Amino acid sequence: MRTRNAALVGTLCVGLSAVLTACGGGEDPDAGTNGVGKLEATAIQDRARAAARGAETVHLSGNVVSQGRTYRIDMRLKKNGGRGQVSSSNASAFELLRVGDELYLKAPAGFWARGATPSPAAPTAKADAAAAAGKLDDKYVKVPADDPSYQQLKGFTDKDVLLDGLIGLHGTLARGEHGAVGGVRTIRVTGAKGGGGTLDVSLTGTPYPLRVQRAGGAGQLELDSWGKDFALAVPAKEQTVDYGKQLHIPSGG
C-alpha cells in the first residue's frame, strides 16, 4: 500500500510539473510573463522607463503632493500634448488642454474669482472682478506663453517630463514582491527600502509602469491605457477666450 501511494504521489508530481516549480513548491511567479521579473531592480526600472517613453499615449490618475499641497490629477497624455482635470484641496477643479505649444485652462467662475485681488479702497473692484470672472466661466482660456504659470501648468500635460520625474526612484533599488495592478501581474521595485518610492511594472506584454508611489508619501499614481489613442484638438473659437495678459491663477490652483 505504501509503495502504491508513493507511486501515485510521484505520478501527480510529474503531471503538475508544467505549472509547479517542484512537487510541494509554489507556482512560478514569472511563468508565462515577459521575463522582467527575473531582472535586477535597476534593469526593471530602465525597461519601464524605456517602455513609457516609447508609448504614444497614457492615462495617468492619482494624487501628487507638491509644496505642501495635494493635487488630484486625471490626465490623458500624448507626445504633442494632453487633456484632463486637476484639482486641489483648497481650490476648484480646472481642466487643462494642450496641443503643441497652445495651452488652455477651463474653470468655473468661482475659480477665477479666487484669483482676483480687489482693493478695499475701490468699492466697485469686487463687482468688476466678479463680472470678469463670469466672462471666463467654463471657457477655454488661452494661457500666454510668458505667463508665470505657463510652465507649471504645461508640466501637467507633458508626457515625457511628467513620467521621467515619476518613474525615477530614489536611493538603492531593490526588487520587491510580485503582485497585480488592475488585474495585471506586476513586479515591484523599491527605492531605499521603500522610502525612496515604489514602482509596479507589468509582467504582461510590454513592461509598462502601472503604479507609482512617490518617495516620502508624496502621492500615488496609476497609469493605464498605454498606446490607446484619444482625440486632441484646439477648442472651437466660440469656446475660447484669449485673455492676452497674465491670468492671475489662484495660489491654490
Side-chain angles (χ1 to χ4, degrees):
M1 181 65 70
R2 182 177 299 174
T3 300
R4 179 190 294 178
N5 289 342
L8 178 59
V9 170
T11 300
L12 289 173
C13 282
V14 171
L16 293 173
S17 62
V19 293
L20 299 180
T21 57
C23 185
E27 182 179 348
D28 180 0
D30 292 300
T33 71
N34 55 23
V36 298
K38 296 182 178 181
L39 301 177
E40 295 296 323
T42 53
I44 298 173
Q45 179 180 254
D46 289 346
R47 291 281 188 92
R49 179 178 282 132
R53 273 195 165 271
E56 292 294 325
T57 63
V58 64
H59 172 232
L60 184 153
S61 62
N63 298 312
V64 173
V65 180
S66 177
Q67 298 180 346
R69 297 191 183 98
T70 299
Y71 295 91
R72 171 72 186 175
I73 63 177
D74 189 341
M75 300 294 300
R76 293 189 179 276
L77 308 171
K78 59 172 58 177
K79 292 183 181 295
N80 68 327
R83 60 178 172 83
Q85 188 176 81
V86 180
S87 62
S88 67
S89 56
N90 58 342
S92 303
F94 58 90
E95 295 181 30
L96 287 174
L97 169 65
R98 183 174 66 86
V99 182
D101 292 328
E102 295 191 42
L103 177 65
Y104 299 87
L105 190 154
K106 182 179 179 182
F111 174 90
W112 297 110
R114 289 187 69 253
T117 54
S119 169
T124 61
K126 187 173 182 180
D128 290 344
K135 293 179 180 179
L136 303 180
D137 179 42
D138 211 31
K139 294 285 188 180
Y140 285 98
V141 180
K142 190 172 183 179
V143 183
D146 59 353
D147 190 284
S149 64
Y150 180 88
Q151 290 300 327
Q152 179 187 8
L153 295 172
K154 181 184 177 183
F156 285 111
T157 68
D158 193 314
K159 172 181 169 289
D160 289 340
V161 170
L162 195 58
L163 293 183
D164 279 354
L166 291 173
I167 295 174
L169 303 179
H170 300 285
T172 302
L173 303 186
R175 185 175 60 199
E177 299 178 349
H178 289 71
V181 175
V184 179
R185 295 165 67 185
T186 63
I187 179 68
R188 173 169 289 187
V189 177
T190 66
K193 298 182 180 180
T198 65
L199 174 68
D200 284 88
V201 179
S202 174
L203 288 174
T204 301
T206 305
Y208 291 123
L210 299 183
R211 177 181 290 155
V212 177
Q213 291 180 318
R214 303 182 70 208
Q220 176 175 300
L221 294 145
E222 297 202 3
L223 306 97
D224 56 47
S225 299
W226 289 101
K228 295 183 179 180
D229 199 15
F230 61 92
L232 186 66
V234 172
K237 187 175 182 179
E238 61 270 18
Q239 295 179 302
T240 65
V241 174
D242 191 345
Y243 199 61
K245 58 182 179 179
Q246 189 172 330
L247 294 181
H248 299 290
I249 302 296
S251 60

